[in-house]
Amino acid sequence: MTTGLVTTTVGSFPKPPYLQKARNQFAAGKLPREELDELEKQATREVIALQEEIGLDILVDGEMARGDMVVYFAEHLEGMEVGGLVRSYGNRYYHKPIVKDVLRWTEPITVDLWRYAQSLTEKPVKGMLTGPYTMVEWSFLEGYDTFRQAVLEMAKAINYEALELDRAGAPFIQIDEPALSTRLEDIELAIEAMAIATEGVNAKTGTHICYGDFVSAYPRFFDMPVKQFDLEMANSSHELVELLKTKGFPEDKEIAWGVVDVHSHVIESVDDVVSEIKRGLDVLPPERLYIDPDCGFKTRTWDESAAKLRVIMEGVHKVRAELGIE
Amino acid sequence: MIATVVGSYPKIPNKPRPARLRNAINKLDRGQITQEELDQVAGEVTIEVLQEHADAGLDLVTDGQIRWDDEQTYLARGLEGVSIGGLIRWFDTNMYYRQPAVEAAVTWREPITVRDYSFAVEHSAKPVKAVLTGPYTLARLSVDHHYHAVDALALAFAEALNQEARALQDAGASLIQFNEPAILRFKDDYTAFAAACGRVTDGLSAETALYLYFGDAEGIYPQILDLPFDLIGLDFVMGPQNEALLKRTPFTKKLGLGIIDARNTRLESPDDIAGKIRTLGDGIDPDRIHVSPSAGLEFLPREVAQEKLRRLASGVRQAEGVPA
């Protein structure tokens, strides 16, 4: 691995059409679980192969078994239930989960597929979890009297899963809290929950949070007890970069700088990526600056995802060459 | 006392009932049915929703806003000067709306909701109220490329919606409601908001209502009692401080009690609902109280929404002293 501008992704990859079809068939009771498992593994192999071919440094398994980042864990945690359909926009609906009862982690949820993905590559594969705050905030709440209680109990459940990934050898565990970006006033609770979720974990930890008003939550936001903040910088305000430049960022922490917009079909140019990386280098030295897309690729096509990653890689090579670190 | 709703209602039920509207929209997208056939389904679903409202025991209903894609664009699409942009989260909910972009002067062309209102009246066993998103909330959640000031934009929307309200009134609407959740998030804009409220209700003879939800009215109460509405609805679920505000300064208008959580599946008991009505409505003439969920019900699965409405109506009857 290089000594700077380490490349990675936020977590999800688009599901190949055959897997999407198989998931629908499985949901309709027309495909046995074992066959779906096999197809999930096939897709995982393709995701790993793509990342290897592009030359990324830290890989992910692509979350081929997960439909939705909250629902997936809800299906596996005791005390959670997958509720009825709720509309999210247009003609799109999803089964919003319910925290129905006392939460309990009973068995590893993500470890098998992580282990499988890691067995396919020499490069490190990140373990990917949904954070306790987001798990509860994006669910209905019935089983606890207070939101806070539920979040802290959820944190214990997520901690069990993080410890399992840790024991299995995951070098890096990312615990995502996208829900926090719309309610940064809950930062104290999110910090407390993250401390519980990461307790005893030896692996490096990180968190991805979608774009939010980090300026008003500064500097407390960066007290989240993780080593790496994966932020949507491609859409971020000039103000945040200025703030990080002038007021600083904790010296023992890193930023994964999201340099391309995953919610757009348009493929950025290498020059766009280079200038975004340089914005990052104004704030952090290359050893503490990771480069990635600004969110998961779930909503992009396979080709769009690959194209965006190739542009990132090209931009990173260019800047590394300029810095003489490649 | 009136048991009612704030506006929206889940568009599709869960299995084993068929998701007719969802399926019909999919078919339209694939070119398998015509727009007229989709309208037909939307009408049938609206009738079903009106029936569910009546069956639950409500006294005053809406059309469930079944044809509304979201709270912003259904009206914005019908106005001149506004185009529709990308998806963006609606407040702190898990719902998204397409953000209207104001490109030129906002102008009302023709009725947007009157056909829906008349259709609902024709098919409802209960009285129907007309519901519009208020001018300030429309302005605040739009991108403004023309007026470059939220007060001017809110006034422009108010002018347009006033035309819409007059058309509803001409079609027989006796109660016209404006939903204005945005002002609770941007209370500094109160002056602009109040001006827009004045403009939007100008010259109306129908009763008017203002519904404020997703927070409390601290900072703008009791000023809101001076606004030109007959009824003001408050959210006592996400705005528990509203209770103290009402204690401090007596409520002088008809009161909308939003006391059922429209955003969580946990079911309230009729006993608790009745208790809340008694506490919060203490000292107010029961004839001047409308009881409802805290906001539109589209955040919930259909069956949960329906059960909440049953309990709401039952709690209201209990608070009135009517034997169950």
Side-chain angles (χ1 to χ4, degrees):
Chain A
M1 198 184 293
T2 67
T3 53
L5 304 181
V6 173
T7 53
T8 187
T9 59
V10 177
S12 65
F13 270 71
K15 292 184 183 60
Y18 66 80
L19 179 58
Q20 200 49 60
K21 194 172 150 213
R23 288 173 60 83
N24 294 341
Q25 287 174 328
F26 174 74
K30 290 175 189 156
L31 188 81
R33 176 78 249 180
E34 303 74 50
E35 284 184 38
L36 180 62
D37 285 346
E38 273 317 304
L39 294 173
E40 284 168 357
K41 283 188 173 173
Q42 182 186 330
T44 305
R45 289 195 294 276
E46 291 167 11
V47 170
I48 294 289
L50 176 69
Q51 296 172 92
E52 292 257 32
E53 185 240 314
I54 287 171
L56 295 171
D57 299 309
I58 299 180
L59 312 192
V60 294
D61 65 21
E63 304 177 10
M64 291 297 124
R66 308 183 197 184
D68 170 280
M69 63 183 291
V70 173
V71 176
Y72 180 70
F73 288 92
E75 285 167 347
H76 291 87
L77 289 173
E78 209 174 278
M80 288 203 87
E81 201 174 84
V82 177
L85 287 167
V86 174
R87 200 167 65 97
S88 55
Y89 66 90
N91 204 28
R92 295 285 279 271
Y93 292 78
Y94 72 109
H95 287 278
K96 186 166 175 173
I98 308 172
V99 177
K100 195 91 187 175
D101 208 332
V102 176
L103 290 164
R104 270 214 352 242
W105 178 94
T106 54
E107 57 179 358
I109 301 166
T110 63
V111 178
D112 280 353
L113 214 47
W114 173 83
R115 194 180 271 125
Y116 180 70
Q118 185 65 84
S119 76
L120 302 169
T121 176
E122 298 294 314
K123 291 189 166 168
V125 177
K126 278 197 278 194
M128 304 295 307
L129 301 175
T130 302
Y133 180 84
T134 297
M135 281 298 299
V136 179
E137 170 56 30
W138 285 357
S139 300
F140 293 121
L141 175 56
E142 297 185 23
Y144 290 87
D145 288 338
T146 67
F147 180 67
R148 178 188 160 76
Q149 236 179 341
V151 172
L152 296 181
E153 284 303 306
M154 183 65 79
K156 290 183 197 163
I158 299 298
N159 181 241
Y160 277 109
E161 185 67 17
L163 289 171
E164 288 288 336
L165 280 170
D166 197 33
R167 264 193 286 277
F172 189 152
I173 299 171
Q174 186 175 310
I175 304 179
D176 293 345
E177 288 288 20
L180 188 57
S181 60
T182 45
R183 290 175 174 244
L184 279 165
E185 66 271 22
D186 283 342
I187 185 72
E188 296 302 327
L189 175 59
I191 288 174
E192 196 178 342
M194 188 61 88
I196 295 170
T198 54
E199 200 181 328
V201 173
N202 296 310
K204 178 162 155 176
T205 54
T207 187
H208 170 74
I209 298 173
C210 297
Y211 180 66
D213 183 12
F214 301 125
V215 173
S216 70
Y218 181 90
R220 185 60 176 145
F221 177 70
F222 295 112
D223 290 338
M224 283 277 270
V226 292
K227 173 90 174 166
Q228 183 175 103
F229 292 88
D230 182 12
L231 304 178
E232 234 174 291
M233 298 308 281
N235 291 320
S236 76
S237 66
H238 180 63
E239 219 182 338
L240 176 62
V241 177
E242 279 306 304
L243 193 70
L244 290 170
K245 258 200 305 202
T246 52
K247 297 267 175 65
F249 175 76
E251 282 193 2
D252 56 339
K253 297 196 177 187
E254 305 165 345
I255 293 181
W257 202 279
V259 295
V260 298
D261 180 359
V262 305
H263 296 107
S264 160
H265 296 281
V266 180
I267 310 301
E268 286 80 354
S269 71
V270 175
D271 285 349
D272 290 339
V273 170
V274 166
S275 73
E276 196 56 56
I277 295 172
K278 288 187 172 166
R279 237 158 59 103
L281 284 169
D282 277 349
V283 175
L284 286 175
E287 314 82 68
R288 287 163 56 211
L289 184 67
Y290 283 50
I291 303 298
D292 67 352
D294 71 357
C295 204
F297 274 127
K298 205 169 71 171
T299 60
R300 288 281 66 76
T301 65
W302 185 269
D303 289 345
E304 285 167 346
S305 308
K308 284 187 182 256
L309 286 173
R310 283 185 222 285
V311 170
I312 290 181
M313 216 52 234
E314 216 177 309
V316 165
H317 283 311
K318 227 171 158 175
V319 180
R320 279 181 188 162
E322 279 177 30
L323 296 172
I325 56 171
E326 191 161 57
Chain B
M1 222 175 277
I2 302 285
T4 187
V5 282
V6 172
S8 69
Y9 194 70
K11 295 178 185 8
I12 61 167
N14 283 275
K15 283 178 184 168
R17 293 167 74 195
R20 300 182 56 214
L21 190 62
R22 185 188 195 183
N23 298 339
I25 294 172
N26 281 338
K27 280 185 185 158
L28 181 80
D29 290 346
R30 289 198 295 261
Q32 293 164 343
I33 63 168
T34 62
Q35 182 64 44
E36 290 68 40
E37 287 171 298
L38 175 64
D39 284 346
Q40 174 74 25
V41 174
E44 286 163 17
V45 169
T46 302
I47 293 171
E48 205 176 271
V49 167
L50 291 164
Q51 187 67 47
E52 278 183 31
H53 284 179
D55 288 350
L58 296 184
D59 306 305
L60 177 64
V61 302
T62 70
D63 68 354
Q65 299 181 315
I66 292 305
R67 295 169 185 272
W68 293 46
D69 227 18
D70 58 62
E71 311 265 336
Q72 309 305 123
T73 52
Y74 193 69
L75 299 176
R77 277 181 207 277
L79 297 170
E80 232 161 48
V82 189
S83 69
I84 304 299
L87 285 170
I88 177 167
R89 185 180 294 275
W90 198 58
F91 296 100
D92 60 346
T93 71
N94 288 138
M95 276 199 181
Y96 293 78
Y97 69 98
R98 293 198 180 275
Q99 190 171 36
V102 178
E103 313 287 2
V106 172
T107 316
W108 184 85
R109 262 193 321 250
E110 58 185 2
I112 304 165
T113 61
V114 171
R115 199 176 137 252
D116 301 345
Y117 172 76
S118 301
F119 181 88
V121 170
E122 194 187 323
H123 293 95
S124 176
K126 300 286 179 178
V128 180
K129 63 179 171 182
V131 178
L132 300 171
T133 303
Y136 174 76
T137 297
L138 278 181
R140 201 68 182 72
L141 300 191
S142 296
V143 185
D144 179 5
H145 294 143
H146 181 74
Y147 295 90
H148 306 295
V150 75
D151 48 355
L153 180 58
L155 273 183
F157 273 122
E159 182 61 43
L161 291 183
N162 181 252
Q163 302 282 316
E164 181 70 15
R166 284 167 190 255
L168 283 164
Q169 187 174 278
D170 291 344
S174 56
L175 174 56
I176 302 170
Q177 175 180 314
F178 299 90
N179 290 343
E180 287 280 23
I183 189 57
L184 300 186
R185 298 288 161 111
F186 302 96
K187 289 172 181 166
D188 289 348
D189 283 346
Y190 187 75
T191 309
F193 168 73
C197 289
R199 182 72 61 90
V200 81
T201 52
D202 187 43
L204 296 180
S205 54
E207 263 205 303
T208 55
L210 169 71
Y211 270 70
L212 304 174
Y213 45 85
F214 297 163
D216 62 70
E218 177 83 60
I220 60 170
Y221 187 86
Q223 295 94 304
I224 55 172
L225 296 177
D226 295 330
L227 296 173
F229 298 97
D230 301 293
L231 184 154
I232 295 180
L234 297 173
D235 177 350
F236 293 86
V237 177
M238 285 185 72
Q241 298 89 328
N242 281 332
E243 185 174 354
L245 296 181
L246 258 57
K247 280 208 182 100
R248 224 183 296 154
T249 315
F251 208 77
T252 52
K253 294 181 181 286
K254 288 190 178 180
L255 173 61
L257 286 178
I259 53 173
I260 299 259
D261 194 342
R263 292 176 54 175
N264 196 9
T265 50
R266 184 192 281 143
L267 295 171
E268 295 83 355
S269 76
D271 284 353
D272 287 349
I273 295 165
K276 275 213 174 97
I277 296 170
R278 286 193 199 98
T279 312
L280 296 167
D282 187 32
I284 298 173
D285 177 357
D287 287 346
R288 293 171 62 80
I289 294 177
H290 285 216
V291 186
S292 71
S294 54
L297 288 171
E298 223 201 327
F299 306 103
L300 297 171
R302 173 85 158 257
E303 296 70 21
V304 178
Q306 195 181 1
E307 178 58 25
K308 287 214 173 208
L309 289 182
R310 276 191 214 110
R311 288 164 179 242
L312 173 76
S314 153
V316 167
R317 298 291 90 93
Q318 200 176 312
E320 283 178 320
V322 177

